[in-house]
Coordinates of all heavy atoms in Angstrom, one line a residue:
M1 N -51.8 -63.4 56.3 CA -52.5 -63.0 55.1 C -51.4 -62.8 54.0 O -51.7 -63.0 52.8 CB -53.2 -61.6 55.4 CG -54.0 -61.2 54.2 SD -55.2 -59.8 54.5 CE -54.6 -59.0 55.9
D2 N -50.2 -62.4 54.3 CA -49.1 -62.2 53.3 C -48.7 -63.5 52.7 O -48.2 -63.5 51.6 CB -47.9 -61.6 54.0 CG -48.1 -60.1 54.3 OD1 -48.9 -59.5 53.6 OD2 -47.5 -59.6 55.2
D3 N -49.0 -64.6 53.4 CA -48.6 -65.9 52.8 C -49.6 -66.4 51.7 O -49.3 -67.3 51.0 CB -48.6 -67.0 53.9 CG -47.5 -66.8 54.9 OD1 -46.5 -66.2 54.5 OD2 -47.6 -67.3 56.0
A4 N -50.7 -65.7 51.6 CA -51.7 -66.0 50.6 C -51.5 -65.2 49.3 O -52.3 -65.3 48.3 CB -53.1 -65.7 51.1
V5 N -50.5 -64.4 49.2 CA -50.2 -63.6 48.0 C -49.3 -64.4 47.1 O -48.1 -64.6 47.3 CB -49.5 -62.2 48.4 CG1 -49.2 -61.4 47.2 CG2 -50.4 -61.5 49.4
F6 N -49.9 -64.9 46.0 CA -49.2 -65.7 45.0 C -49.0 -65.0 43.7 O -48.4 -65.6 42.8 CB -50.0 -67.0 44.8 CG -50.1 -67.9 46.0 CD1 -51.3 -68.1 46.6 CD2 -48.9 -68.4 46.5 CE1 -51.4 -68.9 47.7 CE2 -49.0 -69.2 47.7 CZ -50.3 -69.5 48.2
W7 N -49.5 -63.8 43.5 CA -49.5 -63.2 42.1 C -48.1 -63.1 41.6 O -47.9 -63.4 40.4 CB -50.2 -61.9 42.1 CG -49.5 -60.8 42.8 CD1 -49.6 -60.5 44.2 CD2 -48.5 -59.9 42.3 NE1 -48.7 -59.4 44.5 CE2 -48.1 -59.1 43.3 CE3 -48.0 -59.7 41.0 CZ2 -47.1 -58.1 43.1 CZ3 -47.0 -58.8 40.8 CH2 -46.6 -57.9 41.9
I8 N -47.1 -62.8 42.4 CA -45.7 -62.6 41.8 C -45.2 -64.0 41.4 O -44.5 -64.1 40.4 CB -44.8 -61.9 42.8 CG1 -43.5 -61.5 42.1 CG2 -44.5 -62.7 44.0 CD1 -43.6 -60.5 41.0
D9 N -45.5 -65.0 42.2 CA -45.0 -66.4 41.8 C -45.6 -66.8 40.5 O -44.9 -67.4 39.6 CB -45.4 -67.4 42.9 CG -44.8 -67.1 44.2 OD1 -43.6 -66.5 44.2 OD2 -45.4 -67.3 45.2
W10 N -46.9 -66.5 40.3 CA -47.6 -66.9 39.1 C -47.1 -66.1 37.9 O -47.0 -66.6 36.8 CB -49.1 -66.8 39.2 CG -49.7 -67.8 40.2 CD1 -49.1 -69.0 40.5 CD2 -50.9 -67.6 40.9 NE1 -50.0 -69.6 41.4 CE2 -51.1 -68.8 41.6 CE3 -51.9 -66.7 40.9 CZ2 -52.2 -69.0 42.4 CZ3 -53.0 -66.9 41.7 CH2 -53.1 -68.1 42.5
T11 N -46.7 -64.8 38.1 CA -46.2 -64.0 37.0 C -44.8 -64.5 36.6 O -44.6 -64.6 35.4 CB -46.2 -62.5 37.4 OG1 -47.5 -62.1 37.9 CG2 -45.7 -61.7 36.3
V12 N -44.0 -64.8 37.5 CA -42.6 -65.3 37.2 C -42.8 -66.7 36.5 O -42.1 -67.0 35.5 CB -41.8 -65.4 38.4 CG1 -40.4 -66.1 38.1 CG2 -41.5 -64.0 38.9
T13 N -43.6 -67.5 37.0 CA -43.9 -68.8 36.4 C -44.3 -68.7 34.9 O -43.9 -69.4 34.0 CB -44.9 -69.6 37.2 OG1 -44.4 -69.8 38.5 CG2 -45.2 -71.0 36.6
A14 N -45.2 -67.7 34.7 CA -45.7 -67.5 33.3 C -44.5 -67.1 32.4 O -44.5 -67.5 31.3 CB -46.7 -66.3 33.3
V15 N -43.6 -66.2 32.9 CA -42.5 -65.8 32.0 C -41.6 -67.0 31.7 O -41.2 -67.2 30.5 CB -41.6 -64.8 32.8 CG1 -40.3 -64.5 32.1 CG2 -42.4 -63.5 32.9
V16 N -41.3 -67.9 32.7 CA -40.4 -69.0 32.5 C -41.1 -70.0 31.5 O -40.5 -70.5 30.6 CB -40.1 -69.7 33.8 CG1 -39.4 -71.0 33.6 CG2 -39.2 -68.8 34.7
A17 N -42.4 -70.3 31.8 CA -43.2 -71.2 30.9 C -43.2 -70.7 29.5 O -43.0 -71.5 28.5 CB -44.6 -71.4 31.5
L18 N -43.5 -69.5 29.3 CA -43.6 -68.9 27.9 C -42.3 -69.0 27.2 O -42.2 -69.4 26.0 CB -44.2 -67.5 27.9 CG -44.3 -66.9 26.5 CD1 -45.3 -67.6 25.7 CD2 -44.7 -65.4 26.7
C19 N -41.2 -68.6 27.9 CA -39.9 -68.6 27.3 C -39.5 -70.1 26.9 O -39.0 -70.3 25.8 CB -38.9 -68.0 28.2 SG -39.0 -66.2 28.4
G20 N -39.8 -71.0 27.8 CA -39.5 -72.4 27.5 C -40.3 -72.9 26.3 O -39.7 -73.6 25.5
S21 N -41.6 -72.5 26.2 CA -42.4 -73.0 25.1 C -41.9 -72.4 23.8 O -41.8 -73.1 22.8 CB -43.8 -72.6 25.3 OG -44.4 -73.2 26.4
L22 N -41.5 -71.1 23.8 CA -41.1 -70.5 22.6 C -39.7 -71.0 22.1 O -39.5 -71.3 20.9 CB -40.9 -68.9 22.8 CG -42.3 -68.2 22.9 CD1 -42.0 -66.7 23.3 CD2 -43.1 -68.3 21.7
I23 N -38.8 -71.3 23.1 CA -37.5 -71.9 22.7 C -37.7 -73.3 22.2 O -37.2 -73.7 21.2 CB -36.6 -71.9 24.0 CG1 -36.2 -70.5 24.3 CG2 -35.4 -72.8 23.7 CD1 -35.5 -70.3 25.6
A24 N -38.6 -74.1 22.8 CA -38.9 -75.5 22.3 C -39.5 -75.5 21.0 O -39.1 -76.3 20.1 CB -39.8 -76.2 23.3
A25 N -40.4 -74.6 20.7 CA -41.1 -74.5 19.4 C -40.0 -74.0 18.3 O -40.0 -74.5 17.2 CB -42.2 -73.5 19.4
S26 N -39.2 -73.1 18.7 CA -38.1 -72.7 17.8 C -37.2 -73.8 17.4 O -36.8 -73.9 16.3 CB -37.4 -71.5 18.4 OG -36.3 -71.1 17.6
L27 N -36.8 -74.6 18.4 CA -35.9 -75.7 18.1 C -36.5 -76.8 17.3 O -35.8 -77.5 16.5 CB -35.4 -76.3 19.5 CG -34.5 -75.4 20.3 CD1 -34.2 -76.1 21.6 CD2 -33.2 -75.1 19.6
E28 N -37.8 -76.9 17.3 CA -38.5 -77.9 16.5 C -39.0 -77.3 15.2 O -39.7 -77.9 14.4 CB -39.7 -78.5 17.3 CG -39.3 -79.3 18.5 CD -40.4 -79.8 19.3 OE1 -41.6 -79.7 18.8 OE2 -40.2 -80.3 20.4
H29 N -38.6 -76.0 14.9 CA -39.0 -75.3 13.7 C -40.5 -75.2 13.5 O -41.0 -75.3 12.3 CB -38.3 -75.9 12.5 CG -36.8 -76.0 12.6 ND1 -36.0 -74.8 12.6 CD2 -36.0 -77.0 12.8 CE1 -34.8 -75.2 12.7 NE2 -34.7 -76.5 12.9
K30 N -41.3 -75.1 14.5 CA -42.7 -74.9 14.4 C -43.0 -73.4 14.2 O -42.4 -72.6 14.8 CB -43.4 -75.4 15.7 CG -43.3 -76.9 15.9 CD -44.2 -77.3 17.1 CE -44.1 -78.8 17.2 NZ -45.1 -79.3 18.2
P31 N -44.0 -73.2 13.3 CA -44.4 -71.8 13.1 C -45.2 -71.3 14.3 O -46.0 -72.0 14.9 CB -45.3 -71.9 11.9 CG -45.8 -73.3 11.9 CD -44.8 -74.1 12.5
I32 N -44.9 -70.0 14.6 CA -45.6 -69.4 15.8 C -46.3 -68.2 15.2 O -45.7 -67.3 14.6 CB -44.5 -68.9 16.8 CG1 -43.7 -70.1 17.3 CG2 -45.2 -68.3 18.0 CD1 -42.5 -69.7 18.1
A33 N -47.6 -68.1 15.5 CA -48.4 -67.0 15.0 C -48.0 -65.7 15.7 O -47.8 -65.7 16.9 CB -49.9 -67.3 15.2
L34 N -48.0 -64.6 15.0 CA -47.6 -63.3 15.5 C -48.6 -62.9 16.6 O -48.2 -62.4 17.6 CB -47.5 -62.3 14.4 CG -47.2 -60.9 14.9 CD1 -45.8 -60.9 15.5 CD2 -47.2 -59.9 13.7
S35 N -49.9 -63.2 16.4 CA -50.9 -62.8 17.4 C -50.7 -63.6 18.7 O -50.8 -63.0 19.8 CB -52.3 -63.1 16.8 OG -52.5 -64.5 16.6
T36 N -50.3 -64.8 18.6 CA -50.0 -65.6 19.8 C -48.9 -65.0 20.6 O -49.0 -64.8 21.9 CB -49.7 -67.1 19.5 OG1 -50.8 -67.6 18.8 CG2 -49.4 -67.9 20.7
V37 N -47.8 -64.7 20.0 CA -46.7 -64.2 20.6 C -47.0 -62.8 21.2 O -46.6 -62.4 22.3 CB -45.5 -64.1 19.7 CG1 -44.3 -63.4 20.3 CG2 -45.1 -65.5 19.3
S38 N -47.7 -62.0 20.4 CA -48.0 -60.6 20.8 C -48.9 -60.6 22.1 O -48.6 -59.8 23.0 CB -48.7 -59.9 19.7 OG -47.9 -59.8 18.5
V39 N -49.9 -61.4 22.1 CA -50.8 -61.4 23.3 C -50.0 -61.9 24.5 O -50.1 -61.3 25.6 CB -52.0 -62.3 23.0 CG1 -52.8 -62.5 24.3 CG2 -52.9 -61.6 22.0
A40 N -49.3 -63.0 24.3 CA -48.5 -63.5 25.4 C -47.5 -62.5 26.0 O -47.3 -62.3 27.2 CB -47.8 -64.8 25.0
L41 N -46.7 -61.9 25.0 CA -45.7 -60.9 25.5 C -46.3 -59.7 26.1 O -45.8 -59.1 27.0 CB -44.8 -60.6 24.3 CG -43.9 -61.7 23.8 CD1 -43.0 -61.3 22.7 CD2 -43.0 -62.2 25.0
G42 N -47.5 -59.3 25.6 CA -48.2 -58.2 26.2 C -48.6 -58.5 27.6 O -48.5 -57.6 28.5
A43 N -49.1 -59.7 27.8 CA -49.5 -60.1 29.2 C -48.3 -60.2 30.1 O -48.4 -59.7 31.3 CB -50.2 -61.5 29.2
I44 N -47.2 -60.7 29.6 CA -46.0 -60.7 30.4 C -45.5 -59.3 30.7 O -45.1 -59.0 31.8 CB -44.9 -61.5 29.6 CG1 -45.3 -63.0 29.4 CG2 -43.5 -61.4 30.3 CD1 -45.5 -63.7 30.7
L45 N -45.5 -58.4 29.7 CA -45.1 -57.0 29.9 C -45.9 -56.4 31.0 O -45.3 -55.7 31.9 CB -45.1 -56.3 28.6 CG -44.7 -54.8 28.6 CD1 -43.2 -54.8 28.9 CD2 -45.0 -54.1 27.4
V46 N -47.2 -56.5 30.9 CA -48.1 -56.0 31.9 C -47.8 -56.6 33.3 O -47.7 -55.9 34.3 CB -49.6 -56.1 31.5 CG1 -50.5 -55.8 32.7 CG2 -49.9 -55.3 30.3
G47 N -47.6 -57.9 33.3 CA -47.4 -58.6 34.6 C -46.1 -58.3 35.2 O -45.9 -58.4 36.4
M48 N -45.1 -57.9 34.4 CA -43.7 -57.7 35.0 C -43.4 -56.2 35.2 O -42.4 -55.9 35.9 CB -42.7 -58.4 34.1 CG -42.8 -59.9 34.1 SD -42.7 -60.6 35.7 CE -41.0 -60.8 35.9
T49 N -44.1 -55.3 34.6 CA -43.8 -53.9 34.7 C -44.9 -53.1 35.4 O -44.7 -52.4 36.4 CB -43.5 -53.3 33.3 OG1 -44.7 -53.4 32.5 CG2 -42.3 -53.9 32.7
I50 N -46.1 -53.2 34.8 CA -47.2 -52.4 35.3 C -47.8 -53.0 36.6 O -48.1 -52.3 37.6 CB -48.3 -52.2 34.2 CG1 -47.7 -51.4 33.1 CG2 -49.5 -51.4 34.8 CD1 -48.5 -51.4 31.8
M51 N -48.0 -54.3 36.6 CA -48.7 -54.9 37.7 C -48.0 -54.8 39.1 O -48.6 -54.4 40.1 CB -48.9 -56.4 37.4 CG -49.9 -57.0 38.4 SD -50.3 -58.7 37.8 CE -50.8 -59.4 39.3
P52 N -46.7 -55.0 39.2 CA -46.0 -54.8 40.5 C -46.2 -53.4 41.0 O -46.5 -53.2 42.2 CB -44.5 -55.1 40.2 CG -44.6 -56.0 39.0 CD -45.7 -55.5 38.2
F53 N -46.1 -52.4 40.2 CA -46.3 -51.0 40.6 C -47.7 -50.8 41.1 O -48.0 -50.2 42.1 CB -45.9 -50.0 39.5 CG -46.1 -48.6 39.9 CD1 -45.2 -48.0 40.8 CD2 -47.1 -47.9 39.3 CE1 -45.4 -46.6 41.1 CE2 -47.3 -46.5 39.7 CZ -46.5 -45.9 40.6
G54 N -48.7 -51.2 40.2 CA -50.1 -51.0 40.6 C -50.5 -51.8 41.9 O -51.2 -51.2 42.7
V55 N -50.0 -53.0 42.0 CA -50.3 -53.7 43.2 C -49.7 -53.0 44.5 O -50.4 -52.9 45.5 CB -49.8 -55.2 43.1 CG1 -49.9 -55.9 44.5 CG2 -50.7 -56.0 42.1
R56 N -48.5 -52.6 44.3 CA -47.9 -51.9 45.5 C -48.7 -50.6 45.8 O -48.9 -50.3 47.0 CB -46.5 -51.5 45.1 CG -45.7 -50.8 46.3 CD -44.3 -50.7 46.0 NE -44.0 -50.0 44.8 CZ -43.8 -48.7 44.6 NH1 -43.9 -47.9 45.7 NH2 -43.5 -48.1 43.5
M57 N -49.1 -49.9 44.8 CA -49.8 -48.6 45.1 C -51.3 -48.9 45.6 O -51.7 -48.1 46.5 CB -49.9 -47.8 43.8 CG -48.6 -47.3 43.3 SD -47.6 -46.4 44.5 CE -48.6 -44.9 44.6
I58 N -51.9 -49.9 45.1 CA -53.3 -50.1 45.5 C -53.5 -51.1 46.7 O -54.3 -50.8 47.5 CB -54.1 -50.6 44.2 CG1 -54.1 -49.6 43.2 CG2 -55.5 -51.0 44.6 CD1 -54.6 -50.0 41.8
C59 N -52.8 -52.2 46.7 CA -53.0 -53.2 47.6 C -52.3 -53.1 48.9 O -52.6 -53.8 49.9 CB -52.8 -54.6 47.0 SG -53.9 -54.9 45.6
Y60 N -51.2 -52.3 49.0 CA -50.4 -52.3 50.2 C -50.5 -50.8 50.8 O -50.6 -49.9 50.1 CB -48.9 -52.6 49.9 CG -48.7 -54.0 49.6 CD1 -48.8 -54.5 48.3 CD2 -48.4 -54.9 50.6 CE1 -48.6 -55.9 48.0 CE2 -48.2 -56.3 50.3 CZ -48.3 -56.7 49.0 OH -48.1 -58.1 48.7
D61 N -50.4 -50.8 52.1 CA -50.3 -49.5 52.7 C -48.9 -48.9 52.8 O -48.0 -49.6 52.2 CB -50.9 -49.5 54.1 CG -50.2 -50.4 55.1 OD1 -49.1 -50.8 54.8 OD2 -50.8 -50.7 56.2
G62 N -48.7 -47.8 53.4 CA -47.4 -47.2 53.4 C -46.3 -48.0 54.1 O -45.1 -47.8 53.8
S63 N -46.7 -48.8 55.0 CA -45.7 -49.6 55.8 C -45.4 -51.0 55.1 O -44.6 -51.8 55.7 CB -46.2 -49.8 57.2 OG -47.3 -50.6 57.2
G64 N -46.0 -51.2 54.0 CA -45.7 -52.5 53.2 C -46.6 -53.7 53.7 O -46.3 -54.8 53.4
V65 N -47.7 -53.4 54.3 CA -48.6 -54.5 54.8 C -49.8 -54.5 53.8 O -50.3 -53.4 53.5 CB -49.0 -54.3 56.2 CG1 -50.0 -55.3 56.7 CG2 -47.8 -54.2 57.2
I66 N -50.2 -55.7 53.4 CA -51.4 -55.7 52.5 C -52.6 -55.3 53.3 O -52.8 -55.5 54.4 CB -51.5 -57.1 51.9 CG1 -52.4 -57.1 50.7 CG2 -52.0 -58.1 52.9 CD1 -52.1 -58.1 49.6
K67 N -53.5 -54.6 52.6 CA -54.6 -53.9 53.2 C -55.7 -54.9 53.7 O -56.4 -54.6 54.7 CB -55.2 -52.9 52.2 CG -54.3 -51.7 52.0 CD -55.0 -50.7 51.0 CE -54.0 -49.6 50.7 NZ -54.6 -48.7 49.8
G68 N -56.0 -55.9 52.9 CA -57.1 -56.8 53.3 C -57.2 -58.0 52.4 O -56.5 -58.1 51.3
W69 N -58.2 -58.9 52.7 CA -58.4 -60.1 51.9 C -58.9 -59.8 50.4 O -58.5 -60.5 49.5 CB -59.3 -61.0 52.5 CG -58.7 -61.8 53.7 CD1 -58.8 -61.6 55.0 CD2 -57.7 -62.8 53.5 NE1 -58.0 -62.4 55.7 CE2 -57.3 -63.2 54.8 CE3 -57.1 -63.4 52.5 CZ2 -56.3 -64.2 55.1 CZ3 -56.1 -64.4 52.7 CH2 -55.8 -64.8 54.0
V70 N -59.6 -58.7 50.3 CA -60.1 -58.3 49.0 C -58.9 -58.0 48.1 O -58.9 -58.3 46.9 CB -61.1 -57.2 49.1 CG1 -61.5 -56.6 47.7 CG2 -62.4 -57.6 49.8
H71 N -58.0 -57.3 48.7 CA -56.8 -56.9 47.9 C -55.9 -58.1 47.6 O -55.3 -58.2 46.5 CB -55.9 -55.9 48.7 CG -56.6 -54.6 48.8 ND1 -57.5 -54.3 49.9 CD2 -56.7 -53.5 48.1 CE1 -58.0 -53.1 49.8 NE2 -57.5 -52.6 48.7
V72 N -55.9 -59.1 48.4 CA -55.2 -60.4 48.2 C -55.8 -61.1 47.0 O -55.1 -61.5 46.0 CB -55.1 -61.3 49.4 CG1 -54.6 -62.7 49.0 CG2 -54.3 -60.7 50.5
I73 N -57.1 -61.2 47.0 CA -57.9 -61.9 46.0 C -57.7 -61.2 44.6 O -57.5 -61.8 43.6 CB -59.3 -62.0 46.4 CG1 -59.5 -63.0 47.5 CG2 -60.2 -62.5 45.2 CD1 -60.8 -63.0 48.2
C74 N -57.8 -59.8 44.6 CA -57.6 -59.1 43.4 C -56.2 -59.2 42.8 O -56.1 -59.5 41.6 CB -58.0 -57.6 43.6 SG -59.7 -57.3 43.9
A75 N -55.2 -59.1 43.6 CA -53.9 -59.3 43.1 C -53.6 -60.7 42.6 O -53.0 -60.8 41.5 CB -52.9 -59.0 44.2
N76 N -54.1 -61.7 43.3 CA -54.0 -63.0 42.8 C -54.7 -63.3 41.5 O -54.3 -64.0 40.6 CB -54.4 -64.0 43.9 CG -53.4 -64.2 45.0 OD1 -52.2 -63.8 44.8 ND2 -53.8 -64.7 46.1
A77 N -55.9 -62.7 41.4 CA -56.7 -62.8 40.1 C -55.9 -62.3 38.9 O -55.9 -62.9 37.9 CB -58.1 -62.2 40.3
F78 N -55.3 -61.1 39.1 CA -54.6 -60.5 38.0 C -53.3 -61.4 37.7 O -53.0 -61.6 36.5 CB -54.2 -59.1 38.3 CG -55.3 -58.1 38.1 CD1 -55.9 -57.5 39.2 CD2 -55.9 -57.9 36.8 CE1 -56.9 -56.6 39.0 CE2 -57.0 -57.1 36.7 CZ -57.5 -56.4 37.8
G79 N -52.7 -61.9 38.7 CA -51.5 -62.8 38.5 C -51.9 -64.1 37.8 O -51.2 -64.6 36.9
L80 N -53.1 -64.6 38.1 CA -53.6 -65.8 37.4 C -54.0 -65.5 36.0 O -53.7 -66.4 35.1 CB -54.9 -66.3 38.2 CG -55.3 -67.7 37.8 CD1 -54.2 -68.7 38.1 CD2 -56.5 -68.1 38.7
I81 N -54.4 -64.3 35.7 CA -54.7 -64.0 34.3 C -53.4 -64.0 33.5 O -53.4 -64.5 32.3 CB -55.4 -62.6 34.2 CG1 -56.9 -62.7 34.7 CG2 -55.5 -62.0 32.8 CD1 -57.6 -61.4 35.0
V82 N -52.4 -63.4 34.0 CA -51.1 -63.4 33.3 C -50.6 -64.8 33.1 O -50.2 -65.2 32.0 CB -50.1 -62.6 34.1 CG1 -48.7 -62.7 33.5 CG2 -50.5 -61.1 34.2
L83 N -50.7 -65.7 34.1 CA -50.3 -67.1 34.0 C -51.1 -67.8 33.0 O -50.5 -68.5 32.1 CB -50.4 -67.8 35.4 CG -50.0 -69.3 35.4 CD1 -48.6 -69.5 34.9 CD2 -50.3 -69.8 36.7
M84 N -52.4 -67.6 33.0 CA -53.3 -68.3 32.0 C -53.0 -67.9 30.6 O -53.1 -68.7 29.6 CB -54.7 -68.2 32.4 CG -55.1 -68.9 33.7 SD -54.5 -70.6 33.9 CE -55.5 -71.4 32.7
S85 N -52.7 -66.6 30.4 CA -52.3 -66.1 29.1 C -51.1 -66.8 28.5 O -51.0 -67.2 27.4 CB -52.1 -64.6 29.1 OG -53.3 -63.9 29.5
A86 N -50.1 -67.0 29.4 CA -48.9 -67.6 29.0 C -49.1 -69.1 28.7 O -48.6 -69.7 27.7 CB -47.8 -67.5 30.0
V87 N -49.9 -69.7 29.5 CA -50.3 -71.1 29.3 C -51.1 -71.3 28.0 O -50.8 -72.2 27.2 CB -51.1 -71.7 30.5 CG1 -51.6 -73.1 30.2 CG2 -50.2 -71.8 31.7
A88 N -52.0 -70.5 27.7 CA -52.8 -70.6 26.5 C -51.9 -70.4 25.3 O -52.1 -71.1 24.3 CB -53.9 -69.5 26.5
A89 N -51.0 -69.5 25.4 CA -50.0 -69.3 24.2 C -49.2 -70.5 24.0 O -48.9 -70.9 22.9 CB -49.2 -68.0 24.5
G90 N -48.7 -71.1 25.1 CA -47.9 -72.3 25.0 C -48.7 -73.5 24.5 O -48.2 -74.3 23.7
V91 N -49.9 -73.6 24.8 CA -50.8 -74.7 24.3 C -51.0 -74.5 22.8 O -51.0 -75.4 22.0 CB -52.1 -74.8 25.1 CG1 -53.1 -75.6 24.4 CG2 -51.9 -75.2 26.5
K92 N -51.2 -73.2 22.4 CA -51.4 -73.0 21.0 C -50.2 -73.4 20.1 O -50.3 -73.7 19.0 CB -51.7 -71.5 20.7 CG -53.2 -71.1 20.9 CD -53.4 -69.7 20.5 CE -54.6 -69.6 19.7 NZ -54.9 -68.2 19.2
L93 N -49.0 -73.3 20.7 CA -47.8 -73.6 20.0 C -47.8 -75.1 19.7 O -47.2 -75.5 18.6 CB -46.6 -73.3 20.8 CG -46.3 -71.8 21.0 CD1 -45.1 -71.6 21.9 CD2 -46.0 -71.1 19.7
Y94 N -48.3 -75.9 20.5 CA -48.2 -77.4 20.4 C -49.6 -78.0 19.9 O -49.6 -79.2 19.8 CB -47.8 -78.0 21.7 CG -46.3 -77.7 21.9 CD1 -46.0 -76.7 22.8 CD2 -45.3 -78.3 21.2 CE1 -44.6 -76.4 23.0 CE2 -44.0 -78.0 21.4 CZ -43.7 -77.1 22.3 OH -42.4 -76.7 22.5
A95 N -50.6 -77.2 19.7 CA -51.9 -77.8 19.2 C -51.9 -78.1 17.8 O -51.1 -77.7 17.0 CB -53.0 -76.8 19.5

């Protein structure tokens, strides 16, 4: 069941993808909307600070074992939301 937990991978991928998109847009002198950057950075901030603590407190028991499949699905869904936010921001940069 622990092998099905992908939320941390998706969150880290979102950070790398967003940073890459922002750097590429900056090098090409493309304008970046403040709202796009704010929403993406907000999602990244939540995904890298609040989410790990919340997932640990809610989805894992005291011995570090995930509680069940529902908890796996919920954690992965939140990780996917963070990833999709970063992808949407990256797409807006090049649209």
Side-chain angles (χ1 to χ4, degrees):
M1 187 168 23
D2 288 332
D3 292 336
V5 179
F6 295 115
W7 69 270
I8 191 66
D9 300 326
W10 291 338
T11 304
V12 171
T13 301
V15 170
V16 172
L18 180 64
C19 290
S21 295
L22 292 175
I23 290 170
S26 173
L27 291 175
E28 294 178 12
H29 304 290
K30 291 189 175 188
I32 304 170
L34 180 61
S35 61
T36 301
V37 175
S38 298
V39 168
L41 290 178
I44 297 298
L45 182 68
V46 167
M48 296 302 274
T49 58
I50 298 169
M51 192 171 160
F53 179 73
V55 168
R56 183 172 53 93
M57 297 302 291
I58 295 170
C59 296
Y60 289 88
D61 62 13
S63 64
V65 177
I66 197 146
K67 292 180 182 176
W69 284 106
V70 172
H71 293 90
V72 170
I73 292 168
C74 290
N76 285 342
F78 283 113
L80 194 57
I81 289 169
V82 172
L83 177 61
M84 295 310 293
S85 298
V87 168
V91 168
K92 276 187 136 181
L93 291 174
Y94 290 101

